[in-house]
Amino acid sequence: MMEQNLDMANKAHESVSEDLMADIQEMVQACMQCGTCSGSCANSFAMDLTPRQVWRLAQLGEKEEIFNSTTFYLCSACYYCTLRCPRGLPLTDAMSALKRLAASEGIRKYKQSSNFYKTFMDTVRRYGRIREAEFMNRYFLSMMNPFLPLGFVSMGMKLMKKRKVPLEIPKLFGEGRFERLFRKVEELEARP
Ligand code: SF4
Ligand code: SF4
């Protein structure tokens, strides 16, 4: 019985993933590979695949290749490519859909990026400002990987040397007030 339930849950999950991928393919179906999106993207210098290449892979249904790249999670949702695409394609929405798909499939690289963002925002929500040491500790805990902090040691030392990471507890402002602000935004976003 338990195995049957697990099987049904897996099938339901697969079908949600397939639907999302089909939606993305539909969004970029009319892409003519002109490259305007890549030329307009301020983050493309850091991406290993350009947005144009990602849309071609999406047309071909090459999900694995897309998820092996850094492109979709480096998208900062600025909407510039969407505004400039001569075909009027909803490219930022397609990037967001890729992020949702990666989250639902538990893609590790994306988890790292989304947990970083979430713990950053949680710290701002709590204190009204960033508290570097607490933020990084929470991020490491969220990743449940005891070796992860090692990769940040050198950068942390450099930042501490330059006094960019204060060891003393910084003065707080707005504690609690930001919670109300965040809740209000959530309320507005939940409205149909
Ligand atoms: S700008 Fe539009 S049509 Fe041109 S490559 Fe990008 S998605 Fe395709
Ligand atoms: S929305 Fe994303 S992909 Fe498009 S230009 Fe902005 S950062 Fe680049």
Side-chain angles (χ1 to χ4, degrees), residues 30-38 52 55 81 84-87 89 91:
C31 169
M32 58 179 178
Q33 293 288 292
C34 68
T36 306
C37 50
S38 305
R52 177 188 64 79
W55 304 137
C81 55
R84 296 199 68 202
C85 173
R87 287 272 157 101
L89 305 179
L91 303 176

PDB file of all heavy atoms in Angstrom, residues 30-38 52 55 81 84-87 89 91, ligand 1:
ATOM      1  N   ALA A  30       8.405  30.297 -30.498  1.00  0.00           N
ATOM      2  CA  ALA A  30       8.590  31.162 -31.673  1.00  0.00           C
ATOM      3  C   ALA A  30       9.960  31.842 -31.705  1.00  0.00           C
ATOM      4  O   ALA A  30      10.198  32.724 -32.537  1.00  0.00           O
ATOM      5  CB  ALA A  30       7.488  32.226 -31.679  1.00  0.00           C
ATOM      6  N   CYS A  31      10.881  31.428 -30.829  1.00  0.00           N
ATOM      7  CA  CYS A  31      12.222  32.049 -30.813  1.00  0.00           C
ATOM      8  C   CYS A  31      12.916  31.797 -32.145  1.00  0.00           C
ATOM      9  O   CYS A  31      12.964  30.678 -32.635  1.00  0.00           O
ATOM     10  CB  CYS A  31      13.045  31.471 -29.665  1.00  0.00           C
ATOM     11  SG  CYS A  31      14.783  31.941 -29.770  1.00  0.00           S
ATOM     12  N   MET A  32      13.461  32.882 -32.723  1.00  0.00           N
ATOM     13  CA  MET A  32      14.128  32.731 -34.034  1.00  0.00           C
ATOM     14  C   MET A  32      15.645  32.854 -33.900  1.00  0.00           C
ATOM     15  O   MET A  32      16.355  33.064 -34.872  1.00  0.00           O
ATOM     16  CB  MET A  32      13.589  33.765 -35.011  1.00  0.00           C
ATOM     17  CG  MET A  32      13.766  35.189 -34.526  1.00  0.00           C
ATOM     18  SD  MET A  32      13.138  36.359 -35.715  1.00  0.00           S
ATOM     19  CE  MET A  32      13.426  37.910 -34.883  1.00  0.00           C
ATOM     20  N   GLN A  33      16.137  32.760 -32.652  1.00  0.00           N
ATOM     21  CA  GLN A  33      17.589  32.725 -32.402  1.00  0.00           C
ATOM     22  C   GLN A  33      18.326  33.983 -32.876  1.00  0.00           C
ATOM     23  O   GLN A  33      19.443  33.907 -33.382  1.00  0.00           O
ATOM     24  CB  GLN A  33      18.199  31.468 -33.040  1.00  0.00           C
ATOM     25  CG  GLN A  33      17.736  30.171 -32.388  1.00  0.00           C
ATOM     26  CD  GLN A  33      18.342  29.971 -31.005  1.00  0.00           C
ATOM     27  OE1 GLN A  33      19.532  29.765 -30.863  1.00  0.00           O
ATOM     28  NE2 GLN A  33      17.516  30.070 -29.973  1.00  0.00           N
ATOM     29  N   CYS A  34      17.691  35.148 -32.705  1.00  0.00           N
ATOM     30  CA  CYS A  34      18.349  36.380 -33.158  1.00  0.00           C
ATOM     31  C   CYS A  34      19.429  36.857 -32.188  1.00  0.00           C
ATOM     32  O   CYS A  34      20.321  37.605 -32.553  1.00  0.00           O
ATOM     33  CB  CYS A  34      17.308  37.487 -33.355  1.00  0.00           C
ATOM     34  SG  CYS A  34      16.581  38.037 -31.798  1.00  0.00           S
ATOM     35  N   GLY A  35      19.327  36.441 -30.910  1.00  0.00           N
ATOM     36  CA  GLY A  35      20.350  36.800 -29.919  1.00  0.00           C
ATOM     37  C   GLY A  35      20.126  38.141 -29.229  1.00  0.00           C
ATOM     38  O   GLY A  35      20.964  38.549 -28.424  1.00  0.00           O
ATOM     39  N   THR A  36      19.014  38.822 -29.507  1.00  0.00           N
ATOM     40  CA  THR A  36      18.772  40.117 -28.862  1.00  0.00           C
ATOM     41  C   THR A  36      18.711  39.957 -27.334  1.00  0.00           C
ATOM     42  O   THR A  36      19.216  40.802 -26.593  1.00  0.00           O
ATOM     43  CB  THR A  36      17.455  40.743 -29.372  1.00  0.00           C
ATOM     44  OG1 THR A  36      17.519  40.782 -30.779  1.00  0.00           O
ATOM     45  CG2 THR A  36      17.217  42.129 -28.823  1.00  0.00           C
ATOM     46  N   CYS A  37      18.102  38.858 -26.875  1.00  0.00           N
ATOM     47  CA  CYS A  37      17.994  38.631 -25.422  1.00  0.00           C
ATOM     48  C   CYS A  37      19.380  38.517 -24.794  1.00  0.00           C
ATOM     49  O   CYS A  37      19.656  39.131 -23.761  1.00  0.00           O
ATOM     50  CB  CYS A  37      17.154  37.395 -25.116  1.00  0.00           C
ATOM     51  SG  CYS A  37      17.636  35.939 -26.046  1.00  0.00           S
ATOM     52  N   SER A  38      20.275  37.767 -25.436  1.00  0.00           N
ATOM     53  CA  SER A  38      21.631  37.592 -24.888  1.00  0.00           C
ATOM     54  C   SER A  38      22.371  38.918 -24.865  1.00  0.00           C
ATOM     55  O   SER A  38      23.042  39.259 -23.887  1.00  0.00           O
ATOM     56  CB  SER A  38      22.440  36.597 -25.720  1.00  0.00           C
ATOM     57  OG  SER A  38      21.754  35.389 -25.816  1.00  0.00           O
ATOM     58  N   ARG A  52      19.914  33.026 -25.272  1.00  0.00           N
ATOM     59  CA  ARG A  52      19.527  32.485 -26.591  1.00  0.00           C
ATOM     60  C   ARG A  52      19.780  30.972 -26.657  1.00  0.00           C
ATOM     61  O   ARG A  52      18.928  30.211 -27.126  1.00  0.00           O
ATOM     62  CB  ARG A  52      20.326  33.186 -27.704  1.00  0.00           C
ATOM     63  CG  ARG A  52      20.039  32.646 -29.095  1.00  0.00           C
ATOM     64  CD  ARG A  52      20.985  33.207 -30.156  1.00  0.00           C
ATOM     65  NE  ARG A  52      22.367  32.815 -29.950  1.00  0.00           N
ATOM     66  CZ  ARG A  52      22.892  31.634 -30.271  1.00  0.00           C
ATOM     67  NH1 ARG A  52      22.144  30.705 -30.812  1.00  0.00           N
ATOM     68  NH2 ARG A  52      24.156  31.367 -30.024  1.00  0.00           N
ATOM     69  N   TRP A  55      17.159  29.031 -24.711  1.00  0.00           N
ATOM     70  CA  TRP A  55      15.849  28.900 -25.382  1.00  0.00           C
ATOM     71  C   TRP A  55      15.899  27.849 -26.480  1.00  0.00           C
ATOM     72  O   TRP A  55      14.927  27.141 -26.724  1.00  0.00           O
ATOM     73  CB  TRP A  55      15.356  30.253 -25.911  1.00  0.00           C
ATOM     74  CG  TRP A  55      15.299  31.279 -24.823  1.00  0.00           C
ATOM     75  CD1 TRP A  55      15.701  32.577 -24.886  1.00  0.00           C
ATOM     76  CD2 TRP A  55      14.808  31.076 -23.482  1.00  0.00           C
ATOM     77  NE1 TRP A  55      15.524  33.185 -23.676  1.00  0.00           N
ATOM     78  CE2 TRP A  55      14.981  32.294 -22.801  1.00  0.00           C
ATOM     79  CE3 TRP A  55      14.278  30.002 -22.799  1.00  0.00           C
ATOM     80  CZ2 TRP A  55      14.614  32.461 -21.471  1.00  0.00           C
ATOM     81  CZ3 TRP A  55      13.921  30.151 -21.467  1.00  0.00           C
ATOM     82  CH2 TRP A  55      14.084  31.365 -20.825  1.00  0.00           C
ATOM     83  N   CYS A  81      15.260  41.496 -21.403  1.00  0.00           N
ATOM     84  CA  CYS A  81      15.146  40.632 -22.593  1.00  0.00           C
ATOM     85  C   CYS A  81      13.691  40.547 -23.061  1.00  0.00           C
ATOM     86  O   CYS A  81      13.415  40.566 -24.262  1.00  0.00           O
ATOM     87  CB  CYS A  81      15.702  39.244 -22.291  1.00  0.00           C
ATOM     88  SG  CYS A  81      14.945  38.467 -20.860  1.00  0.00           S
ATOM     89  N   ARG A  84      12.797  43.551 -25.032  1.00  0.00           N
ATOM     90  CA  ARG A  84      13.490  43.743 -26.305  1.00  0.00           C
ATOM     91  C   ARG A  84      13.300  42.604 -27.314  1.00  0.00           C
ATOM     92  O   ARG A  84      13.653  42.773 -28.483  1.00  0.00           O
ATOM     93  CB  ARG A  84      14.980  43.953 -26.035  1.00  0.00           C
ATOM     94  CG  ARG A  84      15.219  45.237 -25.244  1.00  0.00           C
ATOM     95  CD  ARG A  84      16.636  45.696 -25.350  1.00  0.00           C
ATOM     96  NE  ARG A  84      16.981  46.148 -26.674  1.00  0.00           N
ATOM     97  CZ  ARG A  84      18.213  46.218 -27.155  1.00  0.00           C
ATOM     98  NH1 ARG A  84      19.214  45.843 -26.408  1.00  0.00           N
ATOM     99  NH2 ARG A  84      18.442  46.644 -28.370  1.00  0.00           N
ATOM    100  N   CYS A  85      12.757  41.475 -26.890  1.00  0.00           N
ATOM    101  CA  CYS A  85      12.613  40.343 -27.826  1.00  0.00           C
ATOM    102  C   CYS A  85      11.705  40.738 -28.992  1.00  0.00           C
ATOM    103  O   CYS A  85      10.553  41.125 -28.787  1.00  0.00           O
ATOM    104  CB  CYS A  85      12.024  39.143 -27.092  1.00  0.00           C
ATOM    105  SG  CYS A  85      11.621  37.783 -28.210  1.00  0.00           S
ATOM    106  N   PRO A  86      12.190  40.674 -30.231  1.00  0.00           N
ATOM    107  CA  PRO A  86      11.359  41.098 -31.367  1.00  0.00           C
ATOM    108  C   PRO A  86      10.113  40.222 -31.561  1.00  0.00           C
ATOM    109  O   PRO A  86       9.158  40.626 -32.201  1.00  0.00           O
ATOM    110  CB  PRO A  86      12.301  40.971 -32.574  1.00  0.00           C
ATOM    111  CG  PRO A  86      13.441  40.161 -32.129  1.00  0.00           C
ATOM    112  CD  PRO A  86      13.528  40.251 -30.639  1.00  0.00           C
ATOM    113  N   ARG A  87      10.145  39.037 -30.979  1.00  0.00           N
ATOM    114  CA  ARG A  87       8.972  38.152 -31.074  1.00  0.00           C
ATOM    115  C   ARG A  87       8.003  38.357 -29.904  1.00  0.00           C
ATOM    116  O   ARG A  87       6.972  37.686 -29.837  1.00  0.00           O
ATOM    117  CB  ARG A  87       9.420  36.688 -31.113  1.00  0.00           C
ATOM    118  CG  ARG A  87      10.051  36.281 -32.437  1.00  0.00           C
ATOM    119  CD  ARG A  87       8.950  35.827 -33.377  1.00  0.00           C
ATOM    120  NE  ARG A  87       9.297  35.909 -34.765  1.00  0.00           N
ATOM    121  CZ  ARG A  87       9.671  34.891 -35.521  1.00  0.00           C
ATOM    122  NH1 ARG A  87       9.762  33.705 -35.008  1.00  0.00           N
ATOM    123  NH2 ARG A  87       9.931  35.057 -36.802  1.00  0.00           N
ATOM    124  N   LEU A  89       8.341  37.482 -26.757  1.00  0.00           N
ATOM    125  CA  LEU A  89       8.188  36.270 -25.941  1.00  0.00           C
ATOM    126  C   LEU A  89       8.353  36.581 -24.441  1.00  0.00           C
ATOM    127  O   LEU A  89       9.154  37.448 -24.070  1.00  0.00           O
ATOM    128  CB  LEU A  89       9.226  35.215 -26.369  1.00  0.00           C
ATOM    129  CG  LEU A  89       9.199  34.853 -27.862  1.00  0.00           C
ATOM    130  CD1 LEU A  89      10.281  33.828 -28.181  1.00  0.00           C
ATOM    131  CD2 LEU A  89       7.833  34.316 -28.255  1.00  0.00           C
ATOM    132  N   LEU A  91      10.089  36.004 -21.832  1.00  0.00           N
ATOM    133  CA  LEU A  91      11.336  35.323 -21.468  1.00  0.00           C
ATOM    134  C   LEU A  91      11.605  35.311 -19.964  1.00  0.00           C
ATOM    135  O   LEU A  91      12.108  34.317 -19.428  1.00  0.00           O
ATOM    136  CB  LEU A  91      12.509  35.977 -22.213  1.00  0.00           C
ATOM    137  CG  LEU A  91      12.345  35.971 -23.735  1.00  0.00           C
ATOM    138  CD1 LEU A  91      13.489  36.709 -24.394  1.00  0.00           C
ATOM    139  CD2 LEU A  91      12.242  34.546 -24.266  1.00  0.00           C
TER     140      LEU A  91
HETATM  141  S1  SF4 B   1      15.336  37.888 -28.462  1.00  0.00           S
HETATM  142 FE1  SF4 B   1      13.555  36.535 -28.661  1.00  0.00          FE
HETATM  143  S2  SF4 B   1      13.654  35.737 -30.732  1.00  0.00           S
HETATM  144 FE2  SF4 B   1      15.663  36.627 -30.290  1.00  0.00          FE
HETATM  145  S3  SF4 B   1      16.901  34.890 -29.512  1.00  0.00           S
HETATM  146 FE3  SF4 B   1      16.002  35.880 -27.755  1.00  0.00          FE
HETATM  147  S4  SF4 B   1      14.088  34.746 -27.382  1.00  0.00           S
HETATM  148 FE4  SF4 B   1      14.754  34.273 -29.448  1.00  0.00          FE
END
